[in-house]
Amino acid sequence: MVKKEMIAMLLAGGQGSRLGVLTQKVAKPAVSFGGKYRIIDFPLSNCINSGVDTVGVLTQYQPLRLNSHIGIGIPWDLDRNVGGVTILPPYEKSMGSDWYTGTANAIFQNLEYMESYHPEYVLILSGDHIYKMDYEVMLNYHKANNADVTIAAMPVPLEEASRFGVLITDDTNRIVDFEEKPAHPRSNLASMGIYIFTWKALREALIALRDVPGCDFGKHIIPYCHGKEQRIFAYEYNGYWKDVGTLSSYWEANMELIDIIPEFNLYEEYWKIYTKSDIIPPQFIADTARVERSIIGEGTEVYGEVRNSVIGAGVVIGRGAVVRDSIVMRGAVIGEEAVIDKAIVAEDVRVGSRARVGVGEYAPNTYDPKVYQSDLATIGERSVIPDGVRIGRNTAVSGETVPEDYPDGELKSGESIMKAGGLR
C-alpha cells in the first residue's frame, strides 16, 4: 500500500484576470517572472526543498503552457515512481462533468487522488505567490499543537487587512475567529492561503460541504471547521511573500529582485528555485550596449541601453534602444532606437523601431479601470507595435496592431487597443 505522510495540492487553475492582457493566453501561475522563471516554480521548489515529493497540480484555465512547463517534474526532482507531480485537470465522471467552481470544490473533485496516498496530512497551496517557505517547519508546528488545521499567516498593515481573510488568535496562536475580507478588520494577521489539514478533518469537511456552490476554503471550509470547534492554529510567517495578482504588485515584485540589497534573494545556495531550462545560447552584450542594475536572461542580445529592468531569455534589444524600469519577457524584440519606459512587455512581442512605450502623464483607463490603474504600459503576448508610434501610460495593447490603429501616431494615456479577439 502506498502511503505518504504529507502530500501537497497546488491550486494552479486561476485565470488571473487582474493581470489583464498578461493572462489572455496563459494561466497566471505560468506567467514569466524574474527573467528566468514562471510563477509556479516558487511553490514547486518550496515543496521539493521541504521534502514534499508528492504534488497534485490542479489546472483549469488555459493549461497548455503550464502543462508543458511542468512536464513530468524533472527540474524539481518530482519525476518519481511513487508520488512525484501529477497534473489534475477537471474531468468527466459517470454522474456528469463539472468545472472546478471554487478552491475547495477543486480539491473535493480529486478526493480519489488524495486517498490513493493514504496521507496523514494534506498541504493546500496556491500557484500564484512568490515566496520561500519550509513546509516541514510548518508541519512540525501543526503536529506540536495537535492541530486539525494550521493556516500560514503574516502581519499586514491594518489598512490593507480587508483584502485578506483575517485571523483572530488567542495567546497560544489558536484561532478563535476568522473573517473573510472584513470591512472593519479586528486583526492585521492575514491568511496566506496556505493550509495544512489533518486528512481526517479535510475529508470530513469536503464531503459535508460537497453540494455548496463554489465551495471555497476561506468562505466555507475554515468556518465549518471552526464551527465544529476543531483545533485551528495560525502559523506566523515573517519572510518575504507576495501575491502578484495585480499588474502593480507583479511589476514591484520583479523590481525588488534588482534592489541593491534585494528583499527577495534568488541567489541563495541553500534554497534554490528550480525551473525548466531551455537549451539557449549565452547572452551577448555588444560594445554599443550599456546595462545598469538589471537581470538579463540567457540568450539575450543587448545592443542598446538597459537600466533597472528585468529582461527574459532570448530577447533582442536593438542598437540605440532604451529600456528603463521595465519587464521584458522572453522572445521579445525591441527595435532600434525604441524607448520602453516603465512598461511590461509580454512574451514574443515585436516593438518597432523608434516606437516609444510609456510616455506622457497618467490618465484613468477607459477599457478596464479595475485592472489598469497605474502608470504602467502593458503589452500582451505576441503583440506587434508598429515603427514610430507613441504609447502613453496606464495603457494596454493586445494583438498585431498597425499604424492605422494609432490616431496621429499615438495611443493616449488611459486608452487601449484590444485586437485578436479583444475589443477596441
Side-chain angles (χ1 to χ4, degrees):
M1 182 179 76
V2 176
K3 183 168 178 61
K4 295 283 184 179
E5 182 183 30
M6 183 165 78
I7 65 172
M9 299 295 278
L10 179 50
L11 295 155
Q15 182 175 352
S17 55
R18 290 179 301 158
L19 288 178
V21 294
L22 298 186
T23 50
Q24 268 187 348
K25 301 174 183 176
V26 63
K28 182 162 76 166
V31 171
S32 295
F33 184 84
K36 180 181 178 72
Y37 307 97
R38 297 194 184 275
I39 294 171
I40 199 168
D41 292 336
F42 294 85
L44 281 176
S45 297
N46 288 340
C47 282
I48 201 63
N49 287 334
S50 303
V52 179
D53 65 4
T54 303
V55 185
V57 180
L58 288 75
T59 62
Q60 181 159 282
Y61 173 80
Q62 296 276 23
L64 180 61
R65 190 169 307 161
L66 199 59
N67 293 353
S68 62
H69 179 69
I70 295 171
I72 59 171
I74 291 172
W76 305 273
D77 193 24
L78 287 169
D79 52 327
R80 306 291 177 103
N81 288 332
V82 178
V85 68
T86 305
I87 305 291
L88 300 169
Y91 60 95
E92 191 163 351
K93 309 165 188 68
S94 60
M95 299 294 289
S97 58
D98 286 305
W99 288 107
Y100 297 148
T101 60
T103 55
N105 173 265
I107 301 295
F108 169 74
Q109 289 195 44
N110 288 283
L111 214 55
E112 282 186 33
Y113 168 80
M114 294 183 288
E115 285 179 330
S116 70
Y117 290 104
H118 301 88
E120 293 177 48
Y121 309 98
V122 178
L123 171 66
I124 309 292
L125 302 171
S126 171
D128 50 15
H129 298 153
I130 304 295
Y131 66 109
K132 298 177 184 177
M133 181 188 283
D134 190 338
Y135 304 132
E136 189 175 15
V137 175
M138 184 176 170
L139 177 60
N140 291 337
Y141 178 87
H142 180 86
K143 291 176 182 175
N145 285 301
N146 192 28
D148 296 298
V149 188
T150 299
I151 304 175
M154 66 184 303
V156 297
L158 194 59
E159 60 271 16
E160 293 181 22
S162 60
R163 293 172 40 220
F164 299 90
V166 172
L167 313 177
I168 294 95
T169 59
D170 64 14
D171 293 341
T172 67
N173 273 349
R174 184 168 179 173
I175 295 169
V176 296
D177 206 356
F178 180 86
E179 301 173 329
E180 180 68 11
K181 299 182 179 178
H184 304 288
R186 291 184 283 149
S187 161
N188 72 330
L189 197 59
S191 168
M192 297 166 64
I194 300 167
Y195 311 96
I196 291 179
F197 282 85
T198 300
W199 171 235
K200 181 183 173 186
L202 177 63
R203 188 177 186 279
E204 179 198 322
L206 290 173
I207 291 172
L209 301 178
R210 63 192 297 172
D211 296 323
V212 174
C215 191
D216 181 84
F217 279 97
K219 293 176 185 171
H220 305 109
I221 299 291
I222 301 302
Y224 173 86
C225 294
H226 182 64
K228 300 277 286 187
E229 297 187 356
Q230 292 180 350
R231 293 177 61 80
I232 309 177
F233 283 81
Y235 171 73
E236 192 166 326
Y237 175 76
N238 290 296
Y240 181 96
W241 177 84
K242 198 134 194 169
D243 179 349
V244 289
T246 65
L247 289 168
S248 293
S249 63
Y250 173 80
W251 180 83
E252 286 164 8
N254 274 274
M255 292 300 109
E256 284 166 354
L257 298 176
I258 52 176
D259 283 344
I260 295 171
I261 303 175
E263 196 175 343
F264 186 71
N265 190 350
L266 290 172
Y267 304 98
E268 289 170 331
E269 189 65 29
Y270 73 94
W271 199 270
K272 290 181 178 177
I273 304 300
Y274 301 95
T275 189
K276 176 187 174 188
S277 293
D278 298 321
I279 307 303
I280 298 176
Q283 61 186 221
F284 174 73
I285 310 296
D287 58 356
T288 56
R290 181 170 181 179
V291 178
E292 289 184 9
R293 208 173 76 169
S294 296
I295 289 172
I296 308 292
E298 301 156 294
T300 285
E301 301 173 31
V302 182
Y303 301 92
E305 189 176 309
V306 181
R307 296 173 184 265
N308 202 50
S309 293
V310 175
I311 311 297
V315 171
V316 177
I317 296 171
R319 189 182 297 267
V322 178
V323 178
R324 284 189 297 262
D325 301 321
S326 294
I327 301 163
V328 180
M329 298 186 197
R330 64 177 64 199
V333 175
I334 310 300
E336 294 188 358
E337 298 180 27
V339 177
I340 311 293
D341 187 19
K342 200 171 183 187
I344 302 175
V345 178
E347 296 186 32
D348 299 316
V349 166
R350 298 289 180 268
V351 176
S353 299
R354 303 178 311 285
R356 295 179 65 88
V357 178
V359 299
E361 301 296 322
Y362 169 88
N365 188 271
T366 56
Y367 175 69
D368 192 342
K370 289 183 180 177
V371 170
Y372 305 102
Q373 47 181 273
S374 68
D375 52 1
L376 290 164
T378 309
I379 313 297
E381 185 174 305
R382 296 185 190 142
S383 296
V384 175
I385 309 300
D387 293 349
V389 301
R390 294 164 55 86
I391 296 175
R393 300 195 180 277
N394 199 25
T395 49
V397 177
S398 177
E400 293 191 22
T401 65
V402 294
E404 290 72 30
D405 292 317
Y406 300 83
D408 301 319
E410 183 174 8
L411 180 69
K412 292 183 178 176
S413 293
E415 295 187 354
S416 301
I417 300 174
M418 295 290 164
K419 300 182 92 171
L423 300 172
R424 176 71 165 99

